[in-house]
């Protein structure tokens, strides 16, 4: 092999004085880093993905993992990554796949936004003593109230379109059964039921064991139409048409055949072991009219009882696209930013296509507001939301609610190792290997995810209270409560916020 | 801080401005000498069918020529004059207050249910956002706002408030915190028939502003109270909600309370809250809003600012302080404090 191999990424070592040879590392590593020979644990660091499973399972804290320092000649343009990608592609002639979100060092806009707090003249509100309202309704809202007045009495004429009622503005985004394991999905489903919110099923259909939580699910329809039939549509509390995804705008989904076990094949309604490919275009949507038609057919099929969402990736003209969607009878637009996670994406897409969610949400909210149709649809932000501050800022920029993805997986153990596409997830998340899947106990998993949602909900209440707000309606689109720190004027204009000190 | 007081005589018998001046001055501690103002309804019986348009001009050359031009394009100026003012040692005259009595050309606004009002609203927005050196601060029929930077008594004497007689009066003593004390920033804020005095801060301003702007209002006075007038105009006039429903939309009950209500009421309030979420106001406030047939006072949902109500026969008083009400009317009978978010309404009985 003329090119040789690229250097290893991580170096694992075991403190032999500490090690008690319990062999848990050997059992836990699904990538085969550890093996036993003559009663000795041997290490193949090259296979390590830094998933941290061994470290967190070692009873003696005997394992040490280090990122290997670059041993190329240092060069500002030809980074180690750039060189290694060339080497790997020269060798294989293939597209480089990657898992999880954008791994480039782009500035994080969220971290350059600061929130407001009350001082003297405007008392902050203590959420422990005063009611704090985070309840959020997702769906169409009328532009104005219609009523009839008969001698002083006001009789309501307006009938609300179906809305989802959320106890917190945090939902869990779409991760399909197939991309993630059943136990992972079950954990998420139990968690959203506990916390009064919703999760997306992803495009993989709905497995029977999710049925008890179906009132908390949003069923997704991607171009592949996997698992879609009338029962599926009727089970969801809402329906989502996936047009694009933040991690890979402009391309479709691909679940490799190895992950299509019998259960996945049943749920998706595809043959066992076959690749599940949902191409980028829906072959019945080539224009906004087509999309509008699909939205209406889905509503018609479900008796106009369910909100229909449309999910798009954040791209340059996202605001105009969202405005079109808002006029299509859709009840919510989901905008997925370019830091969104994924099971597998071509690395070149994941790292280079799309725009950050902060700018996308602000632009969409602004455009819809300008056109006087902001109330017609709800706006859901997703893609790279890491904590309660990101959520609060997203809402202040105009979102009604957010979808979290990666964060909910981290709550299940994920260490963002980025190897989901290999199907060997040692945490039992992005895998269909039963012995790995069994590592998640849905009861405990759901507890952790619910804890996360509850903790963030508390933090959002505190942030709102500090800003003197006791209802989330007053946070939504409230740019006054945000300032930009070290952002350029162009971006401040897009975000429609002022600079710190202003 | 800030002191507010309002009164309505339900039989529409008119009161002069002397007692409200006295009552407002009593609350000097709530102000800082940087802004005070009054509004009275029914003061222009001679022009009872005209819009009384009060303008602050920086000078009577360019800005006035421009405003004349805009007004003449949209209607007829029946009469115009400088609002009489009387020099006060403690008050620097920074603008020239002017009034027009104006009749809009109804046929210029098509496709609306109240073309006259829409016409005038449109020209208020146009002048305030495009004409440098002119600010329309009052635009209702048979009513007028009088305000300036200064202490309540100075402002009252400057305009000689006691010379006007109205059946509704609102007054405000300002302690500015958010924005500098300038004439335009003094209360009352007015658009058409709506006049607002406000004690507090609106933390939801960003959301409210964005909402009214998407409905064709321009916020030009760089203060949060402005949106209250526009919200009332939007919900009350254009959407036709009764005043108490507007108040409920602006300061709705908590969800827990709504959930417990009988089905029909629950549905009404849920629909109202979902429809008018962006109009919901947060932060500490006590507000009195007047329109030609009544006044309504209310506070924020957890009552972070004081509000007291007094009644005496046909008169209803709403104020920040009981003492102010008693100053205005030593014979006042009932005094009580409304609950958070609960509207107090005084309507004329015709
Ligand atoms: S898990 Fe830790 S203690 Fe157990 S064998 Fe591995 S390194 Fe040794
Ligand atoms: S889901 Fe599993 S494979 Fe994917 S990043 Fe997380 S730990 Fe790694």
């Amino acid at each position: 092999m003329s090119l040789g191999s690229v250097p290893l990424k991580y170096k694992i070592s075991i403190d032999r004085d500490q090690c008690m040879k319990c062999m848990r590392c050997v059992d836990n590593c699904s990538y085969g880093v550890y093996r036993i020979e003559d009663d000795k644990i041997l290490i193949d660091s090259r296979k390590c993905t830094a998933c941290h499973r061994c470290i967190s399972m070692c009873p003696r804290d005997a394992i040490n993992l280090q990122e290997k320092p670059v041993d190329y000649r240092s060069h500002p343009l030809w980074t180690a990554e750039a060189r290694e990608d060339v080497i790997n592609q020269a060798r294989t002639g293939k597209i480089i796949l990657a898992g999880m979100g954008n791994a480039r060092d782009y500035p994080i806009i969220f971290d350059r936004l600061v929130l407001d707090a009350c001082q003297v003249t405007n008392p902050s509100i203590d959420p422990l003593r005063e009611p704090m309202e985070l309840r959020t309704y997702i769906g169409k809202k009328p532009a104005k109230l219609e009523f009839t007045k008969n001698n002083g009495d006001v009789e309501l004429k307006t009938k609300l379109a179906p809305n989802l009622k959320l106890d917190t503005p945090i939902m869990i985004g779409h991760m399909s059964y197939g991309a993630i394991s059943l136990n992972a999905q079950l954990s998420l489903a139990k968690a959203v039921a506990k916390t009064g919110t919703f999760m997306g099923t992803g495009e993989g259909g709905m497995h029977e064991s999710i049925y008890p939580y179906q009132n908390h699910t949003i069923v997704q329809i991607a171009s592949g139409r996997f698992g879609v039939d009338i029962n599926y549509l009727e089970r969801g509390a809402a329906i989502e048409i996936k047009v694009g995804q933040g991690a890979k705008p402009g391309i479709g989904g691909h679940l490799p055949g190895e992950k299509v076990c019998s259960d996945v094949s049943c749920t998706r309604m595809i043959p066992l072991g076959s690749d599940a490919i949902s191409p980028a275009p829906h072959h019945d949507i080539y224009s906004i009219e087509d999309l509008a038609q699909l939205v209406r057919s889905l509503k018609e099929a479900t008796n106009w009882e369910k909100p229909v969402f449309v999910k798009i990736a954040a791209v340059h003209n996202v605001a105009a696209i969202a405005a079109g969607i808002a006029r299509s009878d859709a009840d919510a637009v989901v905008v997925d930013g370019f830091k969104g996670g994924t099971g597998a994406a071509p690395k070149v897409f994941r790292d280079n296509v799309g725009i950050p969610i902060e700018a996308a949400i602000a632009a969409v909210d602004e455009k819809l507001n300008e056109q006087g149709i902001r109330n017609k649809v709800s706006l859901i932000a997703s893609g790279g939301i890491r904590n309660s501050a990101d959520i609060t800022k997203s809402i202040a920029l105009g979102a009604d609610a957010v979808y979290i993805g990666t964060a909910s997986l981290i709550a299940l153990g994920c260490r963002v190792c980025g190897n989901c596409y290999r199907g060997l997830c040692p945490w039992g998340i992005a895998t269909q290997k039963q012995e790995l899947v069994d590592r998640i106990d849905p009861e405990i998993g759901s507890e952790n995810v619910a804890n996360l949602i509850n903790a963030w909900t508390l933090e959002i209440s505190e942030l709102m209270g500090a800003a003197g707000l006791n209802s989330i309606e007053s946070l939504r689109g409230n740019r006054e409560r945000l300032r930009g720190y070290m952002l350029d004027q162009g971006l401040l204009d897009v975000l429609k916020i002022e600079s710190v000190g202003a | 801080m800030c002191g507010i007081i309002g009164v309505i005589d339900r039989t529409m018998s008119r009161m002069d401005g002397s007692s409200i001046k006295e009552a407002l001055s009593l609350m000097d501690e709530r102000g800082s000498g940087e802004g005070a103002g009054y509004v009275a309804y029914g003061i222009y019986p001679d022009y009872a069918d005209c819009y009384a348009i009060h303008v602050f001009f920086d000078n009577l050359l360019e800005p006035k020529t421009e405003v004349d031009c805009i007004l003449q394009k949209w209607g007829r100026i029946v009469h115009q004059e400088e609002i009489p003012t009387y020099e006060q040692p403690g008050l620097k005259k920074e603008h020239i207050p002017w009034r027009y009595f104006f009749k809009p050309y109804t046929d210029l606004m098509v496709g609306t249910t109240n073309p006259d009002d829409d016409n005038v609203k449109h020209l208020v927005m146009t002048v305030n956002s495009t004409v440098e050196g002119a600010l329309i601060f009052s635009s209702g029929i048979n009513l007028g706002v009088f305000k300036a930077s200064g202490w309540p008594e100075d402002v009252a004497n400057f305009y000689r408030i006691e010379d006007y007689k109205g059946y509704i009066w609102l007054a405000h003593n300002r302690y500015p915190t958010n924005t500098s004390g300038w004439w335009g920033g003094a209360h009352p804020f007015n658009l058409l028939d709506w006049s607002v005095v406000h004690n507090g801060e609106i933390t939801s301003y960003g959301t409210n502003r964005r909402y009214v702007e998407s409905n064709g209002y321009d916020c030009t006075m760089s203060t949060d109270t402005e949106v209250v007038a526009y919200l009332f105009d939007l919900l009350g006039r254009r959407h036709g909600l009764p005043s108490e429903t507007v108040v409920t939309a602006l300061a709705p009950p908590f969800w827990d309370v709504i959930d417990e209500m009988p089905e029909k009421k629950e549905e009404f309030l849920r629909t109202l809250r979902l429809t008018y979420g962006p109009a919901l106001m947060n932060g500490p406030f006590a507000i009195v809003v007047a329109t030609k047939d009544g006044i309504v006072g209310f506070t924020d949902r957890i009552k972070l600012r004081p509000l007291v109500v007094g009644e005496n026969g046909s008169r209803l008083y709403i104020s920040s302080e009981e003492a102010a009400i008693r100053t205005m009317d030593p014979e006042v009978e009932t005094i009580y404090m409304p609950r958070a978010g609960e509207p107090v309404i005084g309507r004329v009985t015709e």
Side-chain angles (χ1 to χ4, degrees):
Chain A
M1 193 177 287
S2 62
L3 285 169
S5 62
V6 297
L8 65 167
K9 289 244 168 329
Y10 311 102
K11 177 82 185 134
I12 296 269
S13 57
I14 294 180
D15 182 338
R16 305 281 168 180
D17 292 340
Q18 286 293 318
C19 174
M20 62 184 216
K21 296 208 177 141
C22 69
M23 304 301 161
R24 284 191 205 163
C25 48
V26 185
D27 294 342
N28 270 285
C29 184
S30 50
Y31 296 110
V33 171
Y34 304 93
R35 80 193 129 86
I36 317 163
E37 234 168 64
D38 304 333
D39 198 31
K40 205 170 173 296
I41 299 171
L42 298 184
I43 301 170
D44 182 356
S45 289
R46 181 168 291 280
K47 291 181 176 158
C48 177
T49 65
C51 79
H52 269 229
R53 179 78 191 183
C54 57
I55 293 177
S56 48
M57 293 300 148
C58 172
R60 285 294 181 89
D61 288 333
I63 301 170
N64 184 22
L65 187 161
Q66 275 178 314
E67 208 152 351
K68 263 292 259 169
V70 179
D71 50 3
Y72 295 91
R73 172 201 161 206
S74 62
H75 192 287
L77 179 64
W78 289 99
T79 57
E81 192 187 338
R83 273 176 272 191
E84 283 178 14
D85 285 353
V86 170
I87 294 169
N88 284 331
Q89 292 192 292
R91 191 163 38 219
T92 60
K94 295 212 168 109
I95 288 173
I96 300 175
L97 274 188
M100 297 317 275
N102 194 315
R104 280 277 175 85
D105 186 19
Y106 292 102
I108 299 162
I109 301 173
F110 278 132
D111 292 345
R112 297 192 177 192
L113 298 175
V114 286
L115 289 157
D116 190 24
C118 296
Q119 299 298 311
V120 178
T121 58
N122 181 5
S124 30
I125 302 169
D126 179 357
L128 293 177
R129 283 162 228 258
E130 301 286 350
M132 203 45 81
E133 302 190 306
L134 273 71
R135 186 189 293 186
T136 302
Y137 284 90
I138 299 293
K140 264 195 200 328
K141 318 278 189 299
K144 65 183 275 209
L145 205 59
E146 303 282 352
F147 53 88
T148 45
K149 284 185 200 161
N150 32 21
N151 46 45
D153 264 5
V154 177
E155 192 79 37
L156 199 59
K157 261 193 355 204
T158 306
K159 280 271 162 271
L160 283 175
N163 266 259
L164 295 189
K165 173 175 160 266
L166 281 57
D167 291 339
T168 170
I170 309 166
M171 296 190 281
I172 295 180
H174 290 261
M175 293 173 280
S176 67
Y177 174 42
I180 62 172
S181 68
L182 191 56
N183 280 0
Q185 217 183 38
L186 204 50
S187 305
L188 302 177
K190 284 172 188 272
V192 291
K194 276 184 200 162
T195 50
T197 182
F198 294 81
M199 68 171 266
T201 57
E203 60 159 324
M206 191 192 289
H207 189 271
E208 271 180 23
S209 46
I210 306 292
Y211 291 176
Y213 312 99
Q214 61 188 29
N215 293 340
H216 291 271
T217 64
I218 299 155
V219 295
Q220 196 180 50
I221 299 181
S223 66
R225 303 286 194 267
F226 303 122
V228 179
D229 64 8
I230 187 66
N231 298 322
Y232 174 69
L233 297 180
E234 272 170 0
R235 281 186 195 286
I239 301 168
E240 178 168 315
I241 302 167
K242 173 193 158 185
V243 175
Q245 184 182 347
K248 38 185 172 178
I251 61 171
H254 181 182
L255 185 72
E258 306 87 75
K259 277 187 161 182
V260 183
C261 60
S262 68
D263 239 8
V264 170
S265 93
C266 284
T267 312
R268 291 211 173 204
M269 307 174 191
I270 53 170
L272 189 71
S274 66
D275 284 19
I277 296 174
S278 43
H282 285 244
H283 291 303
D284 52 358
I285 306 178
Y286 285 93
S287 66
I288 196 85
E289 302 88 309
D290 293 346
L291 174 69
Q293 234 171 52
L294 180 58
V295 169
R296 275 195 290 276
S297 346
L298 289 169
K299 291 196 167 188
E300 195 61 44
T302 51
N303 259 332
W304 295 79
E305 278 162 4
K306 293 175 199 294
V308 173
F309 303 178
V310 176
K311 170 172 162 176
I312 50 171
V315 288
H316 302 338
N317 59 339
V318 64
I321 300 163
I325 296 172
R327 293 195 162 81
S328 76
D329 264 342
D331 300 84
V333 187
V334 182
V335 182
D336 197 20
F338 93 143
K339 299 231 169 88
T342 177
K347 190 171 167 221
V348 67
F349 274 81
R350 187 194 69 174
D351 294 348
N352 297 285
V353 186
I355 65 168
I357 190 61
E358 301 92 322
I361 278 300
V364 170
D365 177 65
E366 187 57 24
K367 171 80 86 192
L368 296 179
N369 200 49
E370 249 170 44
Q371 301 189 356
I373 53 173
R374 176 61 186 86
N375 264 12
K376 251 195 107 178
V377 277
S378 294
L379 199 50
I380 300 164
S382 68
I385 286 167
R386 304 155 298 165
N387 50 46
S388 59
D390 288 358
I391 298 171
T392 311
K393 292 168 187 176
S394 301
I395 297 173
L397 287 170
D400 288 270
V402 302
Y403 270 154
I404 57 166
T406 306
S408 64
L409 299 187
I410 296 176
L412 288 175
C414 166
R415 296 296 204 263
V416 197
C417 74
N419 280 262
C420 323
Y421 60 97
R422 291 169 59 188
L424 292 172
C425 176
W427 292 90
I429 300 166
T431 179
Q432 300 305 330
K433 286 194 182 323
Q434 199 53 47
E435 67 278 16
L436 299 175
V437 174
D438 288 342
R439 291 180 179 181
I440 296 183
D441 175 338
E443 224 26 79
I444 300 172
S446 70
E447 208 44 53
N448 293 143
V449 176
N451 279 345
L452 178 75
I453 294 176
N454 287 332
W456 283 2
T457 305
L458 288 176
E459 287 181 340
I460 296 168
S461 312
E462 290 286 350
L463 288 169
M464 280 171 44
L469 303 170
N470 59 16
S471 95
I472 200 143
E473 288 105 313
S474 304
L475 176 66
R476 194 172 304 135
N478 196 342
R479 316 285 170 84
E480 270 298 301
R481 305 265 80 91
L482 280 179
R483 290 290 186 276
Y485 188 35
M486 314 258 288
L487 287 174
D488 61 58
Q489 192 56 48
L491 197 46
L492 289 175
D493 290 345
V494 170
L495 298 173
K496 266 245 159 185
I497 56 168
E498 298 210 72
S499 160
V500 287
Chain B
M1 295 301 273
C2 296
I4 57 181
I5 182 156
V7 58
I8 176 171
D9 188 302
R10 297 185 181 103
T11 62
M12 293 180 86
S13 98
R14 298 193 298 152
M15 312 156 252
D16 74 39
S18 50
S19 64
I20 199 161
K21 162 182 139 189
E22 215 182 308
L24 192 66
S25 307
L26 178 99
M27 295 189 283
D28 269 357
E29 195 168 293
R30 295 186 158 271
S32 59
E34 293 203 59
Y38 302 81
V39 61
Y41 286 65
I43 54 170
Y44 295 129
D46 293 349
Y47 298 99
D49 52 353
C50 290
Y51 287 83
I53 296 184
H54 288 196
V55 194
F56 287 140
F57 283 122
D58 288 357
N59 63 66
L60 295 182
L61 299 170
E62 302 88 358
K64 179 149 189 310
T65 316
E66 260 185 83
V67 171
D68 283 354
C69 210
I70 295 174
L71 288 178
Q72 276 155 359
K73 187 164 135 200
W74 291 93
R76 189 163 63 85
I77 300 170
V78 177
H79 177 71
Q80 59 169 312
E81 65 192 8
E82 188 177 341
I83 299 177
T85 55
Y86 307 85
E87 218 170 287
Q88 296 301 312
L91 197 158
K92 192 169 154 276
K93 184 165 173 174
E94 282 166 28
H95 308 276
I96 302 154
W98 195 271
R99 62 188 164 209
Y100 294 91
F101 293 97
F102 177 77
K103 277 199 175 162
Y105 298 138
T106 304
D107 51 351
L108 289 185
M109 276 283 164
V110 289
T112 82
T113 40
N114 12 41
D116 281 351
D117 281 345
D118 283 325
N119 180 323
V120 173
K121 179 220 144 203
H122 169 79
L123 68 88
V124 171
M125 297 295 146
T126 309
V127 167
N128 289 355
S129 56
T130 62
V131 183
E132 188 129 356
L135 179 83
I136 299 182
F137 61 96
S138 180
S139 50
I141 292 177
N142 202 2
L143 66 91
V145 171
F146 303 91
K147 62 185 185 181
S149 290
W151 290 101
E153 50 279 29
D154 289 339
V155 174
N157 296 338
F158 178 71
Y159 289 107
R160 223 175 257 165
I161 273 307
E162 59 271 31
D163 291 352
Y164 294 95
K165 286 172 95 181
Y167 62 95
I168 294 175
W169 280 88
L170 303 186
H172 184 266
N173 182 7
R174 183 159 190 239
Y175 198 138
T177 47
N178 274 342
T179 49
S180 57
W182 65 296
W183 285 37
H187 301 210
F189 280 87
N190 165 282
L191 179 70
L192 302 169
D193 281 342
W194 309 100
S195 304
V196 180
V197 289
H198 162 218
N199 168 20
E201 275 175 46
I202 301 172
T203 46
S204 55
Y205 173 64
T207 303
N208 304 141
R209 173 180 180 160
R210 162 178 162 279
Y211 180 58
V212 296
E213 285 185 342
S214 86
N215 281 287
Y217 297 83
D218 294 320
C219 295
T220 49
M221 311 210 192
S222 49
T223 162
D224 51 3
T225 309
E226 186 182 11
V227 295
V228 183
Y230 302 159
L231 285 172
F232 266 88
D233 189 55
L234 177 64
L235 272 55
R237 178 175 68 88
R238 285 173 50 198
H239 291 189
L241 303 185
S243 293
E244 48 273 61
T245 312
V246 178
V247 170
T248 312
L250 267 41
F254 286 94
W255 283 119
D256 288 350
V257 178
I258 296 177
D259 289 347
E260 294 305 312
M261 287 177 172
E263 201 184 312
K264 226 173 145 183
K265 202 151 177 226
E266 185 273 343
E267 193 197 346
F268 181 79
L269 282 163
R270 183 164 36 85
T271 310
L272 183 73
R273 222 178 138 168
L274 259 65
T275 310
Y276 295 111
L280 188 152
M281 297 199 320
N282 241 293
F285 60 77
I287 288 175
V288 186
V289 179
T291 182
K292 63 179 184 308
D293 40 36
I295 62 172
V296 50
F298 62 108
T299 64
D300 63 81
R301 307 192 301 158
I302 50 178
K303 206 166 181 193
L304 295 165
R305 286 289 188 274
L307 200 69
V308 186
V309 182
E311 277 186 81
N312 185 6
S314 61
R315 306 246 164 115
L316 175 84
Y317 303 88
I318 308 177
S319 177
S320 309
E321 290 188 26
E322 184 177 334
I325 296 177
R326 292 198 181 278
T327 304
M328 252 192 117
D329 185 349
E331 258 88 70
V332 68
E333 286 158 1
T334 346
I335 289 270
Y336 68 95
M337 282 171 228
R339 275 177 308 163
E342 182 195 338
V344 179
I345 294 172
R347 247 191 224 101
V348 295
T349 46
E350 274 168 296

